[in-house]
Amino acid sequence: MQNVPKYANVPDVKKFLKKHDLESVKIKRAFKSTYAYVTFRDEATRQKALQTLQNVQWKKNSIKVECADPDENPFARNEARGEKRLEDCRSVREKTAPLYKMTLSEQLEFKLGEIRGVLDNYKKLLKRAWQAGFPEEQYDFKITEIKQSPILTGYRNKCEFSIGKNADTNETSCIGFVKGSFSQGNISVAPPDDCKETCSDVMIEEVKKFKDFLSTSIFQTYDNIANTGVWKALQIRTTEQHDIMITPVVDKRSLDSENLKVLKSSVVEFYSDRQKCSLFLKLVGGKEEIVHLSGPEHMLENLCGYDFQITSGSFFQVNTPGAEVLYQAIRETAELDDKTVLLDVCCGTGTIGIILSKYVKRVHGIEIVESAVEDAKKNAERNKIDNISFIAGNAKSAVSRVVNNIPKSSDTRIVAIVDPPRSGVHADVIACLRKNEMIAEVVYVSCDIKQISDNIVSLCCPTSNRYLGDPFRFVSCVAVDLFPHTKRFEVIFHFKRYEMK
C-alpha cells in the first residue's frame, strides 16, 4: 500500500482494511513512512484488496496498491545452504537471558551504558528541534542510578511458552521457547529446563505436566509453516501466594463447535484434581477470545500491601518484588505530598494510582480499555481507596476534562504519571499534556526508551502550533533492573514545566 497517511499506525491500517471488508494476517509499517506491507490469508483475498483499494481516498491521500514480491522462503534458503546459522546454534538460555554470563555488576553497568547512549541521542534530537536558542542547561540528561531487583532468578510471574517441533530431537510437540525466528528460518522449540534465570521451577514443572497432556491429545500441534493444527502456546501465571493460572492457546480455525467442545472437556478433565488452579483457554485465528474453563476466575496478588485482581488477559508487571522497587522509585521521583493531585495516564487496572493514593490528595486514573477500568474500580474498592476515580476514554480528551474539573487553588500541584505501552503514547496525548498548563510535572515510565524518543522530544520541544503551552524541562531519571539477565529495564523520567516567559 502506498500513500498511507504518515502518522497512521498498524491498528489504523487494520481499521482501514476492515472498513473495506478485508481481513489481514500481518501488517508491516515503517514509522512515519507512507507505505505498508499487508499479508492476506489467500490469493482470493489479495486480489479483492487490489481491486477494492486502488485509488481509494484515505484522509487526503489516494491509496495505490500493488502485489509485493515475496522474500525468499527462509526455510528453503537454509536447507539449500546446508549449514547451520549462528541463530540455530544459540541455546534458549542465551535467547531468554542474553546477559547470564555477566556478573550482576557487569549487567548493571551494561544497562547504564545503554541508557546513557539513548539519553545522548535525546539531547541531539532536542538540539535539532530547538534550533537556535537551545537551553542546554535545562536538558542535561543524566541517569542518577539503576536500582537492583530484590530477586535475581526465576522472577517472572508470567511466561508464554511456544508449542512446536524441536528440530534437534524431532519431537513434534515440544513446549518451551523458539530458538530463532521465522525470518531466520528457524522456529525450532526447545524446552525451558535451562532457563532458570527467568523461569521458576514451578513453571518448568507445569510445562512438563502439560506436555504429558499433549501426548494423549487427539488434536495436533500447530504447524507455523503449513498453517495447520491446533495447539500453539501455553501461558502460565503465578503469584507470590503460590496461586497458579494456566491458559493453553489454540488456533480455532480448524475446530468446529463439536471439536472445540471435546478439546475444552479434555483440558478440564486433565486438571480435574486441581480445584484451586485457574484454567482458561485462549482462542486465536480470527477474533481472539479468552474462555474460563474451571477453577477461580481470577487470582489476587499482593503488591506494596495492596491486593490486585489478575485475570488471564490482565497486564501486571512480570517481576512482583521488582515492581515494588519500581513503584517506590516512582513515588520518590514524583515528590508526592498531600497537596498533589495525580493524573495516572494509561492507568490499566489502577496499580500505580492505588499504591500512590495514600501519599496524595486525589488520584484520577485514565484508561482507554473499558474492561481494565472496571478491574481498576474493583481493585480500588477491594483496597478501600476512597480518593481515587477512573475514567474510560481517550487520554487526549479525558486529561483536559479531568484538569478542567480540578478546583483551582494556589497550593494544588498537578502531576501526571504516564506509564504507556512499550511504543509510548500518541502525539495527541503529549500535545494535551503540554496544552494543559495546570499540569506542573510529568513522570514518564518506560520499558523501552529507544521507542519513546518522539514522546520525549515532543514533551520538551519549543512551543509551536502543534505543541501549545510551555515545554517541560528534564529534572532527573532513575532506572530499575526489573528484568535481570536480559537487556531490558525500566526507566523513570521526571520533567517540570520550563516557564519560558
Side-chain angles (χ1 to χ4, degrees):
M1 291 175 63
Q2 296 174 337
N3 296 337
V4 175
K6 188 176 179 181
Y7 290 99
N9 54 26
V10 169
D12 292 333
V13 177
K14 196 169 187 177
K15 186 177 178 181
F16 176 78
L17 293 170
K18 283 193 172 182
K19 180 182 174 183
H20 293 89
D21 197 28
L22 293 166
E23 192 72 40
S24 60
V25 173
K26 185 184 291 184
I27 299 169
K28 286 196 174 183
R29 174 100 171 88
F31 184 61
K32 286 188 178 178
S33 68
T34 58
Y35 63 88
Y37 289 98
V38 183
T39 304
F40 297 99
R41 178 63 56 192
D42 50 48
E43 181 63 31
T45 311
R46 178 165 75 164
Q47 289 301 322
K48 179 183 175 184
L50 288 167
Q51 294 168 12
T52 305
L53 300 179
Q54 197 68 263
N55 298 318
V56 167
Q57 290 295 120
W58 186 353
K59 294 187 176 178
K60 296 181 180 180
N61 298 15
S62 180
I63 298 298
K64 304 294 182 185
V65 291
E66 61 182 63
C67 284
D69 294 328
D71 283 341
E72 180 186 4
N73 184 306
F75 299 94
R77 178 194 63 207
N78 288 356
E79 192 174 330
R81 284 178 179 162
E83 59 183 24
K84 283 195 172 184
R85 294 164 55 94
L86 176 63
E87 291 86 354
D88 297 340
C89 303
R90 290 173 64 197
S91 66
V92 286
R93 188 180 185 188
E94 290 172 295
K95 181 84 180 287
T96 58
L99 306 185
Y100 82 93
K101 291 181 181 178
M102 294 183 182
T103 64
L104 179 61
S105 59
E106 288 172 339
Q107 290 184 33
L108 296 180
E109 194 55 43
F110 170 84
K111 294 182 182 188
L112 280 172
E114 292 286 296
I115 295 167
R116 289 180 183 124
V118 176
L119 297 183
D120 287 345
N121 188 51
Y122 286 172
K123 194 166 185 177
K124 290 176 186 174
L125 292 171
L126 275 170
K127 276 185 179 179
R128 198 179 305 156
W130 276 82
Q131 297 177 355
F134 175 57
E136 193 160 347
E137 72 283 355
Q138 302 294 338
Y139 299 104
D140 187 17
F141 287 96
K142 286 183 180 176
I143 174 83
T144 309
E145 64 173 321
I146 182 164
K147 296 178 181 287
Q148 184 179 315
S149 168
I151 182 171
L152 302 176
T153 58
Y155 57 82
R156 289 190 66 96
N157 56 41
K158 175 188 174 185
C159 280
E160 184 152 324
F161 301 94
S162 297
I163 303 176
K165 183 178 180 180
N166 184 327
D168 296 326
T169 63
N170 282 326
E171 181 186 349
T172 56
S173 296
C174 182
I175 308 175
F177 297 111
V178 177
K179 293 174 70 174
S181 68
F182 200 95
S183 62
Q184 295 165 354
N186 177 19
I187 52 173
S188 175
V189 177
D193 302 47
D194 295 329
C195 301
K196 296 190 176 182
E197 284 82 13
T198 53
C199 299
S200 66
D201 290 338
V202 170
M203 286 199 178
I204 292 172
E205 281 304 308
E206 288 298 336
V207 165
K208 291 176 180 176
K209 289 174 185 175
F210 196 75
K211 184 180 172 185
D212 291 340
F213 164 73
L214 286 186
S215 66
T216 65
S217 176
I218 62 172
F219 300 99
Q220 299 298 307
T221 298
Y222 188 79
D223 185 326
N224 281 289
I225 301 173
N227 289 324
T228 58
V230 173
W231 302 108
K232 292 197 77 170
L234 177 68
Q235 182 196 100
I236 301 174
R237 305 188 81 144
T238 59
T239 68
E240 294 292 294
Q241 291 73 41
H242 309 295
D243 295 323
I244 191 158
M245 182 178 287
I246 295 172
T247 308
V249 182
V250 302
D251 190 293
K252 63 183 179 181
R253 283 172 293 184
S254 62
L255 296 172
D256 58 25
S257 58
E258 190 58 37
N259 276 328
L260 182 58
K261 187 176 179 181
V262 171
L263 184 145
K264 289 178 182 178
S265 298
S266 66
V267 177
V268 172
E269 185 179 350
F270 182 78
Y271 287 97
S272 59
D273 60 337
R274 298 174 62 185
Q275 299 299 319
K276 291 185 178 180
C277 174
S278 295
L279 192 60
F280 289 81
L281 187 70
K282 185 175 181 179
L283 304 170
V284 299
K287 186 178 179 182
E288 285 192 4
E289 300 174 71
I290 297 178
V291 183
H292 177 247
L293 297 181
S294 66
E297 292 191 25
H298 64 264
M299 302 188 298
L300 289 181
E301 179 66 289
N302 188 274
L303 185 62
C304 298
Y306 297 92
D307 289 329
F308 293 94
Q309 176 178 303
I310 298 174
T311 60
S312 181
S314 299
F315 170 78
F316 200 80
Q317 292 288 1
V318 297
N319 177 349
T320 303
E324 295 192 335
V325 175
L326 176 69
Y327 296 140
Q328 172 70 12
I330 292 172
R331 181 175 74 84
E332 292 169 355
T333 299
E335 301 170 342
L336 305 174
D337 58 32
D338 59 3
K339 296 179 178 63
T340 303
V341 174
L342 200 64
L343 303 184
D344 186 3
V345 184
C346 308
C347 71
T349 56
T351 315
I352 293 178
I354 289 170
I355 289 172
L356 300 183
S357 61
K358 68 179 178 181
Y359 303 104
V360 300
K361 183 178 182 180
R362 184 79 192 170
V363 179
H364 298 278
I366 299 167
E367 171 61 50
I368 197 168
V369 181
E370 290 189 17
S371 59
V373 170
E374 291 306 309
D375 287 343
K377 290 176 179 177
K378 290 175 185 175
N379 284 329
E381 185 178 350
R382 177 179 290 105
N383 290 287
K384 297 179 171 59
I385 309 297
D386 56 10
N387 65 334
I388 194 167
S389 60
F390 296 99
I391 297 175
N394 184 293
K396 176 187 172 183
S397 56
V399 167
S400 296
R401 196 160 69 249
V402 169
V403 170
N404 291 336
N405 287 329
I406 295 173
K408 306 292 187 293
S409 173
S410 58
D411 63 352
T412 297
R413 170 174 165 260
I414 302 178
V415 177
I417 290 185
V418 184
D419 184 16
R422 188 171 300 180
S423 57
V425 294
H426 195 281
D428 287 347
V429 178
I430 300 296
C432 185
L433 295 173
R434 287 280 301 262
K435 183 177 70 173
N436 286 280
E437 293 198 325
M438 282 183 66
I439 300 173
E441 301 174 37
V442 172
V443 175
Y444 195 120
V445 186
S446 173
C447 64
D448 193 335
I449 57 176
K450 289 182 180 177
Q451 289 203 48
I452 63 163
S453 58
D454 272 9
N455 279 183
I456 300 300
V457 171
S458 300
L459 205 59
C460 302
C461 68
T463 305
S464 65
N465 290 336
R466 178 73 175 101
Y467 296 105
L468 304 173
D470 288 336
F472 288 86
R473 61 182 176 85
F474 173 78
V475 178
S476 64
C477 87
V478 61
V480 178
D481 185 20
L482 206 65
F483 317 99
H485 310 292
T486 76
K487 296 180 181 180
R488 295 178 57 210
F489 43 79
E490 294 268 351
V491 178
I492 306 161
F493 295 95
H494 188 194
F495 298 96
K496 290 186 179 180
R497 283 282 180 184
Y498 175 34
E499 296 182 3
M500 299 178 67
K501 299 182 184 67

